[in-house]
Amino acid sequence: MEQPLSKLALDYWYQVLIVAGLAVFLLTGAGLLKEFPTLPTAMISLGTFLFGVGEWINHPLQTSLRAGSAYFPAAVVRGHPRNGRVIGYVFDIAGVAAITLGIYRLVCQ
């Protein structure tokens, strides 16, 4: 039987933030991270998840056709350069706010 997570490709840093933030958030919600304060840990991990989603939105797959020249042939170029969108920035701001509030709650307890 094949594992469902075996095909999970974490090719970019923002995808790692999404998975790590969600994993810590779920572990905190399940009560398995008793060594850490619940509310600040949940807020920081949720903020990490939201920031990762915002950056995923801001780095869409872009494909372009590069014209050939005497030295280089024509090519199709694919990549994930930053192309900011309003909804991506909203997720980024919400994530940074949640991380900041979580750290504030952690320090001021």
Side-chain angles (χ1 to χ4, degrees), residues 7 27 30 43 53 61 68 71 81 98 102-103 105:
K7 294 183 181 180
L27 289 172
M43 290 178 73
V53 169
L61 175 63
Y71 302 105
I103 292 172
R105 293 286 305 229

Side-chain angles (χ1 to χ4, degrees), residues 8-57:
L8 181 64
L10 300 176
D11 297 331
Y12 301 98
W13 62 270
Y14 45 85
Q15 293 174 341
V16 175
L17 286 180
I18 292 170
V19 171
L22 184 62
V24 173
F25 184 78
L26 292 176
L27 289 172
T28 301
L32 298 176
L33 298 177
K34 296 179 181 178
E35 301 85 21
F36 302 103
T38 304
L39 184 61
T41 305
M43 290 178 73
I44 292 170
S45 61
L46 180 63
T48 303
F49 172 77
L50 291 174
F51 188 78
V53 169
E55 287 302 307
W56 193 5
I57 293 169

Side-chain angles (χ1 to χ4, degrees), residues 14 52-60 83-89 91:
Y14 45 85
V53 169
E55 287 302 307
W56 193 5
I57 293 169
N58 286 335
H59 289 85
N83 185 6
R85 302 182 189 280
V86 173
I87 189 68
Y89 289 130
F91 274 101

Side-chain angles (χ1 to χ4, degrees), residues 67-74:
S69 68
Y71 302 105
F72 299 104

